[in-house]
Amino acid sequence: QVQLVESGGGLVQAGGSLRLSCAASGTIFSIDVMGWYRQAPGKQRELVADTTSGGSTNYADSVKGRFTISRDNAKNTVYLQMNSLKPEDTAVYYCNADIQNYGRYRNYWGQGTQVTVSS
């Protein structure tokens, strides 16, 4: 059984920073893309950033220059450093990963962590 467990959310003032972590556990042979999505109330879930096992990264235009995604392949962990936070960044942030255990790759989601940015 594979699990993604997020941590690091919370309440922060506008202009502040938070760092999210997501660790994959279970029987894991390989992890391809790992990423972060977010969903604000009344809105669709959207991609924030993702990164491949080779280190390529991709960001939503709204977070470019403020957020940085990174990963530690040895720890099966992905991070999201969020700086210069804005109230519009308030959302539940979800970790997502393509993970191979006993066969083909499957897509997994974490349980979500709340990020609230006050003005």
Side-chain angles (χ1 to χ4, degrees), residues 6 35-39 45 92-96 109-112:
E6 300 119 332
W36 292 94
Y37 289 71
R38 67 186 181 186
Q39 187 167 20
R45 192 172 297 189
V92 178
Y93 284 70
Y94 296 91
C95 179
N96 180 269
W109 289 94
Q111 81 283 359

Side-chain angles (χ1 to χ4, degrees), residues 3 5 11 16 21 25 28 34 36-37 41 47-48 53 63 81 86-87 90 93-94 96 101 107-108 113:
Q3 281 189 315
V5 179
L11 173 64
S21 298
S25 63
I28 296 171
M34 299 187 82
W36 292 94
Y37 289 71
L47 174 68
V48 177
S53 58
V63 306
Q81 178 65 45
K86 303 175 181 179
T90 295
Y93 284 70
Y94 296 91
N96 180 269
N101 50 8
N107 188 257
Y108 293 88
T113 185

Side-chain angles (χ1 to χ4, degrees), residues 3-4 23 27 44 46 54-55 60 72 87 89-91 93 100 102 105 112:
Q3 281 189 315
L4 297 177
T27 303
Q44 288 190 330
E46 62 176 2
D72 184 333
D89 294 318
T90 295
Y93 284 70
Q100 182 188 31
Y102 291 108
Y105 283 89

Side-chain angles (χ1 to χ4, degrees), residues 31-36 47 49-59 68-73 77-79 96-98:
I31 303 178
D32 189 5
V33 179
M34 299 187 82
W36 292 94
L47 174 68
D50 60 22
T51 178
T52 68
S53 58
S56 298
T57 58
N58 176 48
Y59 294 92
T68 302
I69 190 170
S70 61
R71 65 192 278 175
D72 184 333
N73 291 327
T77 300
V78 63
Y79 306 95
N96 180 269
D98 293 323

